[in-house]
Amino acid sequence: MSAPNTTFDSPIDPIIDELWDRRADLTPDDADARKTVVAAVDAIDAGVARVATVAADGSVVVDERAKRAILLSFKVLPMAESAAGDFQYHDRMPLKTRFDGVRVVPGAIVRWGAHVEPGAILMPSYTNIGGYVGAGTLVDTWATVGSCAQVGRNVHLSGGVGLGGVLEPPNAVPVVVEDDAFVGSRCMVVDGARVRRGAKLGAGAILTASTHVFDANTGEEYPRGEIPERAVAVGSSRLRSFPGGEFAMPCILVLRTLAEGEIHDKLALNDVLREHGVAG
């Protein structure tokens, strides 16, 4: 799996780095520190700053300062009571309150410090602090966008999908799902794994940073923890020998690679899965 690129000109106030160095001494009573941290997380909430982006060379660029600001918010914000209708909460993090141009279905929860672009649709789901959801993306019912997970544009996160979160260490790469991708129902993508542009991941697959990814036709192994661009992939297993015997270990199989013109055609995914006996 490609290593994160942490060399980044962050738009966040560099005072955050100074606060980070003395984080053990910070409390909610430090008004100046709280003001700086809140301004930084507000910038992430508004999409002005972002925890991670995909650079032109394909590497993932992590903004450590953004991550530090989020972690510091747990130090400088006091516990507070809040409510959403009849539901009562007690937390340091308020819920997000502005959704300009976003369709938010009742039951969807987004924490302050997450950014959702106009044109996205949030079914009853959960998006954690530091998360990013691009325009045209559907976060379907009971799907979870974990802390700092980055979701591109025109993505479909199907029902029950779980994108793992990551806050510590600050330079750890988050889960990244790139533009035009499709993640099937009940998939788990965690531990900084990556679904590249236009890829389709069949239902129930588990992808971690250490998951082996193979080409079903050639046996070629791709970088671990990454679904290649425009790949149609499914969860599978392979036999491994251990002192106690042979056991099936999870892996991912790439069944085929879609042509550029097929990126937006979700029917192509169903056709490929049927062809391989994965869909009914």
Side-chain angles (χ1 to χ4, degrees):
M1 184 172 179
S2 57
N5 178 354
T6 55
T7 304
F8 184 67
D9 185 14
S10 174
I12 290 178
D13 193 331
I15 293 176
I16 289 293
D17 296 333
E18 299 174 19
L19 295 175
W20 180 255
D21 290 338
R22 60 183 183 90
R23 61 190 178 278
D25 301 323
L26 295 179
T27 70
D29 295 328
D30 193 330
D32 289 338
R34 187 170 65 251
K35 181 179 179 181
T36 300
V37 170
V38 167
V41 180
D42 274 343
I44 301 168
D45 186 89
V48 175
R50 200 168 161 175
V51 168
T53 55
V54 178
D57 65 359
S59 64
V60 176
V61 180
V62 177
D63 186 347
E64 290 189 56
R65 196 171 291 158
K67 282 268 216 74
R68 288 176 173 181
I70 291 171
L71 288 166
L72 288 171
S73 66
F74 291 96
K75 299 283 291 183
V76 302
L77 292 177
M79 294 290 286
E81 294 183 358
S82 62
D86 293 332
F87 294 95
Q88 305 295 314
Y89 301 96
H90 191 222
D91 193 12
R92 298 184 190 277
M93 297 294 154
L95 296 182
K96 189 177 180 72
T97 56
R98 291 198 60 176
F99 294 95
D100 297 335
V102 178
R103 181 183 168 204
V104 185
V105 174
I109 298 174
V110 184
R111 268 177 133 186
W112 169 67
H115 182 69
V116 184
E117 289 187 341
I121 300 173
L122 305 178
M123 300 302 284
S125 57
Y126 184 80
T127 301
N128 208 344
I129 188 169
Y132 194 102
V133 178
T137 287
L138 170 61
V139 182
D140 223 327
T141 305
W142 311 138
T144 300
V145 178
S147 55
C148 302
Q150 305 293 295
V151 182
R153 295 178 173 177
N154 302 314
V155 171
H156 186 173
L157 301 181
S158 301
V161 163
L163 304 185
V166 60
L167 281 173
E168 296 185 271
N171 65 346
V173 66
V175 167
V176 176
V177 179
E178 298 182 22
D179 295 353
D180 302 305
F182 173 89
V183 183
S185 181
R186 299 304 190 269
C187 284
M188 300 295 292
V189 183
V190 300
D191 194 26
R194 184 174 178 185
V195 179
R196 288 186 177 261
R197 184 178 70 92
K200 318 295 184 185
L201 186 57
I206 298 177
L207 181 68
T208 75
S210 59
T211 300
H212 292 268
V213 181
F214 298 98
D215 188 303
N217 297 301
T218 67
E220 172 190 359
E221 183 168 1
Y222 295 102
R224 292 189 189 184
E226 293 188 5
I227 306 300
E229 186 172 310
R230 292 181 283 112
V232 177
V234 296
S236 186
S237 62
R238 60 174 184 151
L239 286 178
R240 297 291 306 276
S241 295
F242 294 90
E246 287 193 334
F247 299 92
M249 298 293 291
C251 67
I252 296 289
L253 276 185
V254 174
L255 301 179
R256 61 168 284 199
T257 299
L258 298 175
E260 280 282 353
E262 294 179 282
I263 284 180
H264 301 287
D265 183 3
K266 289 186 175 132
L267 292 176
L269 172 63
N270 293 329
D271 290 342
V272 174
L273 295 179
R274 270 195 209 92
E275 179 185 335
H276 290 81
V278 180

